[in-house]
Amino acid sequence: MNAYDAIVIGGGSVGLPTAVFLAQEKLKVLVIDKHPSCGQGQNKAAIGGVRATHSDPAKIKLCLESLDIYSNWADTFGDDIGWKMGGYCFPVFREAEESMLKGILPIQKEFGLNIDWVDADTIREVIPGINENGLIGGTYSPEDGQVCSLQVTYAMVRIGKSLGCDFKFNEKVTSITHDKGKVCGVQTDKGHYAAPIVVNAAGAFARQLGEALGLDIPVNPDSHEAGISAPVKDFLAPLVVDLRPGPDGRSSNFYFGQNHEGAFIFCYTPSTLFAGTDRRCTSEFAPSIAQRLIDLIPRLKNLLVRRLWRGLYPMTPDGSPIVSAVREFPGLYLAVGMCGQGFMLGPGVGRNLASLIVHGKPIIDADILAQLSFYRDFHAAAEEALK
Ligand SMILES: Cc1cc2nc3c(=O)[nH]c(=O)nc-3n(C[C@H](O)[C@H](O)[C@H](O)COP(=O)(O)OP(=O)(O)OC[C@H]3O[C@@H](n4cnc5c(N)ncnc54)[C@H](O)[C@@H]3O)c2cc1C
């Protein structure tokens, strides 16, 4: 009863789609999560932005796959997951951001992203009511979008169950077991489960699972705040990213959008990162982000903020994820270190990892996925520009 073809550790942004795609390949899959239900790790902290707008080719390709999966979800599986194809817009006010964004356009286009530099008039149309003071132009990628991170996890569990996946919640994996190096299952605080394939998709806590095996998985979490408003009349299609540092020195950039229900959902990158897993404080960010939102779009001044929260970015040194087989332990795979983009990467990572496991090759070019190897030099690799 406790034997499976594959075990996925973590029922979050990456683990759930990985399980669904493995089950679609007819594997008998078990998903284990320490929380009482799915998506209760960092998945539910995500504001739901899904963009292929990156500088790293592997991330561009995987997120294009995710966009394909999310945008077709309702037609394929029938669930409303809050998909909104409003695009992503990076308005630009300074030469520094202009040259950085223009500098990565060739690679974004080469790898298939529909994106362009647009003038200030177009930005005004795309972001109605934007403060035009100093506005130069910006980039716009109309096929990026948003999804509700809560709705999609429940949809994935439903599909997973219909494909024969088992789910164990409230159960913590304490170690990955092996027989002379060959993976043979996992030990939890409640029992042992056997499988020749184990996927570590434990997010911000992936590193701990490597330690007992002597693997140094370079994933270090830091914490980020976000908030959501009461719904207002729909007027903003894209998710907006302002790359300028905030005037009060607290944030390096900020991003926001209006979701499918009309609520504004927003977030920033703190200038000084909050390293570690402590998510208790949510008072640092509100006054600062409120000012930034109103400065950029003055008509947002009467928004009623409903809720603030903190969550973790599972960071790697170069800002790109690790999607990789582990050579020292045949049967063990890593799908970790998603940084601030695990929700948008999840379905693309899941589909490619399932193909790698079952067919020995990913769906995207194997050389491109290899850039996310566990064995790359994390300090020599080019850093993701839009992490
Ligand atoms: C404020 C904020 C906003 C964000 N916005 C976005 C966004 O718009 N778009 C985007 O793409 N990303 C966004 N992110 C990032 C995104 O949330 C993460 O990158 C993503 O959730 C990581 O996915 P994951 O599957 O690796 O981890 P998780 O979703 O956290 O899943 C890992 C799971 O593993 C479980 N687990 C861990 N250890 C064990 C164990 N030993 N035993 C059993 N279970 C275990 C956890 O309980 C958890 O459920 C945001 C993050 C924050 C904090």
Side-chain angles (χ1 to χ4, degrees), residues 10 13-14 33-35 42-43 47 49 173 311 339-344:
S13 305
V14 177
D33 200 292
K34 63 186 178 185
H35 285 301
Q42 309 321 311
N43 176 85
I47 67 167
V173 174
C339 308
Q341 291 107 32
F343 182 69
M344 59 184 83

Side-chain angles (χ1 to χ4, degrees), residues 144-268:
D144 288 332
Q146 298 173 51
V147 171
C148 174
S149 64
L150 299 172
Q151 279 169 259
V152 76
T153 51
Y154 287 95
M156 284 188 184
V157 171
R158 186 184 74 73
I159 302 301
K161 283 183 177 168
S162 75
L163 292 167
C165 289
D166 280 351
F167 292 85
K168 304 272 179 196
F169 293 114
N170 264 326
E171 192 159 344
K172 183 175 178 179
V173 174
T174 50
S175 61
I176 294 162
T177 56
H178 63 94
D179 182 11
K180 298 190 188 85
K182 209 166 179 317
V183 160
C184 58
V186 301
Q187 181 66 45
T188 74
D189 51 5
K190 295 187 179 160
H192 184 265
Y193 302 93
I197 291 161
V198 171
V199 178
N200 177 351
F205 302 92
R207 183 169 215 146
Q208 285 89 324
L209 288 167
E211 277 164 6
L213 298 172
L215 297 173
D216 183 19
I217 304 172
V219 174
N220 290 311
D222 55 52
S223 103
H224 293 246
E225 288 172 41
I228 190 163
S229 76
V232 293
K233 191 174 173 192
D234 191 34
F235 76 92
L236 184 67
L239 259 148
V240 177
V241 184
D242 183 346
L243 291 170
R244 290 173 296 175
D248 63 5
R250 285 173 177 257
S251 53
S252 58
N253 62 48
F254 85 114
Y255 44 103
F256 61 95
Q258 190 173 19
N259 72 12
H260 66 298
E261 291 172 328
F264 269 77
I265 187 157
F266 44 87
C267 201
Y268 76 35

Side-chain angles (χ1 to χ4, degrees), residues 280-302:
R280 286 172 299 176
C281 172
T282 54
S283 58
E284 188 272 348
F285 140 105
S288 186
I289 187 109
Q291 194 59 53
R292 289 202 74 172
L293 280 167
I294 296 165
D295 286 349
L296 192 69
I297 306 186
R299 69 191 280 187
L300 294 179
K301 67 175 186 253
N302 291 322

